[in-house]
Amino acid sequence: MPDEGRDRAAPHLRELALFLSVHLDRAPGVLWPEHDNPAFRADGDGGRAGGRDGAGDGSAGGGGAGGEGGVRPAQLARFTGGLAALTGLSVRLERLERLERSAAAPAGAAADSGPAGSAGTGEAGGREHLLIHQIAGAGTWRLAGPGEDGLPASFQCRLLPGEVLYVPARWSRRAECTPRARYAVITLRSRAD
């Protein structure tokens, strides 16, 4: 996309496109955004998704007009379309994970596991890359896959609300999340695939 188009994009989209230009097809990474993504937010957060700029409209979250599980559908369409335009990738929301701890479930139970190309995101060893957008709660993520040099590599991080994890294609992932944690799994794929 031409630079003038990039300059007109929303700040959160420019920030994410720059982040992907550094990490895509290379290595995992974590984005600590300066700008809120209006598509994702925790219930009762006054419009904040956990980012740093204080943006938000203050409307109700959750099952009301804000959408199910902290996703605002109209903003989600703008987010996926805008990110696709900036990066040239196919971008879609794969799924939302909403973890409610029951009395039988131990704290820190595994919430998400499998190769980046499986568990609802395509076949194992697939070409889809993932963005994990932490909406509420926190999660410790452990990734493993081929490093830039082709040798096995690993990566571990803790995501807080508003933060984004990039998981390269062919990398496995495992998460241990806090009670009532929520995150969105967004798939990125080359349009040629």
Side-chain angles (χ1 to χ4, degrees):
M1 175 173 226
D3 287 338
E4 66 270 6
R6 207 175 284 267
D7 291 340
R8 286 192 308 263
H12 68 280
L13 290 174
R14 288 194 314 264
E15 188 173 45
L16 192 51
L18 177 61
F19 170 76
L20 287 171
S21 74
V22 172
H23 289 281
L24 193 68
D25 283 326
R26 292 183 185 98
V30 176
L31 173 64
W32 296 280
E34 292 183 23
H35 304 281
D36 285 340
N37 183 338
F40 304 109
R41 55 184 231 188
D43 293 342
D45 66 358
R48 300 223 355 106
R52 303 335 181 239
D53 71 353
D57 63 5
S59 63
E68 180 74 23
V71 173
R72 300 172 70 198
Q75 293 292 337
L76 179 62
R78 286 188 206 116
F79 166 71
T80 56
L83 188 58
L86 284 174
T87 62
L89 299 169
S90 172
V91 179
R92 68 183 169 88
L93 175 67
E94 178 67 32
R95 70 181 188 278
L96 293 171
E97 293 292 335
R98 183 183 190 118
L99 306 170
E100 298 292 340
R101 184 174 164 214
S102 68
D112 192 317
S113 61
S118 69
T121 60
E123 70 283 354
R127 291 180 231 155
E128 290 181 334
H129 304 267
L130 300 178
L131 290 175
I132 308 293
H133 190 290
Q134 193 76 30
I135 298 170
T140 299
W141 291 83
R142 291 175 183 82
L143 311 178
E148 291 182 74
D149 56 5
L151 298 174
S154 63
F155 182 85
Q156 180 175 319
C157 66
R158 182 151 179 89
L159 286 184
L160 299 175
E163 296 175 348
V164 179
L165 170 64
Y166 166 67
V167 181
R170 298 177 302 279
W171 279 65
S172 64
R173 67 193 182 283
R174 183 162 185 81
E176 293 180 13
C177 295
T178 59
R180 294 198 288 273
R182 280 191 312 239
Y183 57 90
V185 179
I186 301 151
T187 58
L188 308 171
R189 190 175 189 136
S190 168
R191 291 185 181 173
D193 292 338

